[in-house]
């Protein structure tokens, strides 16, 4: 159910600070309700809200069809499809065991005993190379949630999914549709 609220104000002051609202409510229609409101302003008793309306519309009036997210090759992202990264991406949220880079196809972990806490922030992550594969766990409807990273991908430890790189740990990561492409 969507709500629409509109207020019209008449005042000879530019500020609305210091007014107290005295409201009365009278239903006019079961779907569209007009509400009559008045307000008193501390130094100006002529401040009034002339008209206010609250309307509700049924969700069936609006388009409820979720939008389809497509990759760069115009292939739709669906739950369960295999995707691969289109560029190098850093995953800062993985644990110490998963932090490191790839030398060719081989994972090179950070040597925490040697480097300790002196590891700079930009290296305390998993650097996923282009072609790193995972499975789409969920695709968020950008019309419904305004998700900035709408593709949730699961990477499984030791499973290259037919690609060159095996993730060192399992983790989930939200990605933009431009960061991954569907593997067909």
């Amino acid at each position: 159910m969507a709500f629409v609220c509109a207020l019209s104000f008449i005042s000879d002051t530019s500020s609305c600070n210091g007014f107290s609202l005295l409201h009365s409510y009278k239903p006019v229609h079961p779907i569209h309700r007009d509400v009559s409101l008045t307000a008193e302003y501390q130094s100006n008793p002529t401040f009034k809200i002339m008209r206010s309306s609250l309307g509700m519309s049924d969700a069936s009036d609006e388009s409820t069809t979720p939008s389809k997210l497509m990759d760069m090759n115009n292939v739709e992202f669906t739950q369960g499809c295999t995707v691969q990264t289109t560029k190098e991406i850093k995953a800062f949220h993985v644990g110490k065991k998963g932090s490191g880079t790839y030398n060719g196809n081989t994972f090179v972990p950070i040597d925490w005993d040697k480097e300790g806490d002196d590891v700079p922030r930009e290296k305390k992550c998993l650097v996923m190379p282009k072609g790193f594969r995972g499975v789409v766990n969920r695709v968020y409807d950008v019309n419904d949630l305004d998700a900035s990273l709408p593709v949730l991908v699961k990477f499984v430890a030791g499973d290259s999914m037919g690609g060159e790189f095996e993730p060192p740990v399992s983790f989930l990561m939200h990605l933009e549709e431009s960061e991954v492409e569907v593997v067909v």
Side-chain angles (χ1 to χ4, degrees):
M1 183 118 0
F3 292 179
V4 179
C5 183
L7 294 175
S8 301
F9 295 97
I10 292 183
S11 174
D12 53 357
T13 63
S14 60
S15 172
C16 291
N17 293 331
F19 75 90
S20 59
L21 190 62
L22 307 171
H23 49 91
S24 60
Y25 170 76
K26 59 177 186 176
V28 177
H29 189 272
I31 298 297
H32 180 63
R33 304 186 192 286
D34 281 338
V35 181
S36 174
L37 301 172
T38 58
E40 292 180 346
Y41 191 74
Q42 287 176 351
S43 62
N44 185 357
T46 61
F47 179 82
K48 290 186 180 179
I49 299 173
M50 297 303 291
R51 181 174 181 269
S52 171
S53 66
L54 173 65
M56 294 180 276
S57 63
D58 192 355
S60 63
D61 296 343
E62 301 171 9
S63 174
T64 57
T65 306
S67 63
K68 294 181 180 182
L69 286 181
M70 307 295 219
D71 69 1
M72 293 182 289
N73 301 317
N74 209 24
V75 179
E76 181 182 0
F77 290 107
T78 57
Q79 186 173 351
C81 72
T82 302
V83 293
Q84 67 183 7
T85 57
T86 58
K87 60 183 179 179
E88 184 178 276
I89 300 171
K90 293 182 177 182
F92 288 95
H93 65 287
V94 297
K96 285 185 176 184
K97 183 180 175 185
S99 296
T101 59
Y102 282 84
N103 183 2
N105 311 15
T106 309
F107 176 68
V108 181
I110 293 175
D111 186 355
W112 293 100
D113 293 331
K114 179 182 172 187
E115 299 185 47
D117 291 332
D118 295 333
V119 178
R121 165 96 168 100
E122 64 270 4
K123 291 187 178 182
K124 291 181 180 180
C125 63
L126 169 62
V127 180
M128 301 185 302
K130 180 179 178 181
F132 203 77
R133 291 188 179 188
V135 175
V136 174
N137 195 31
R138 183 171 179 187
V139 180
Y140 291 91
D141 182 7
V142 293
N143 291 334
D144 189 30
L145 296 174
D146 192 30
S148 59
L149 303 170
V151 183
L152 180 61
V153 179
K154 182 175 186 174
F155 299 96
V156 180
D159 188 356
S160 66
M161 301 192 181
E164 300 176 42
F165 311 101
E166 288 185 5
V169 292
S170 295
F171 64 98
L172 291 168
M173 187 164 182
H174 290 269
L175 297 164
E176 293 178 3
E177 55 268 36
S178 64
E179 294 177 316
V180 287
E181 62 186 359
V182 177
V183 176
V184 281

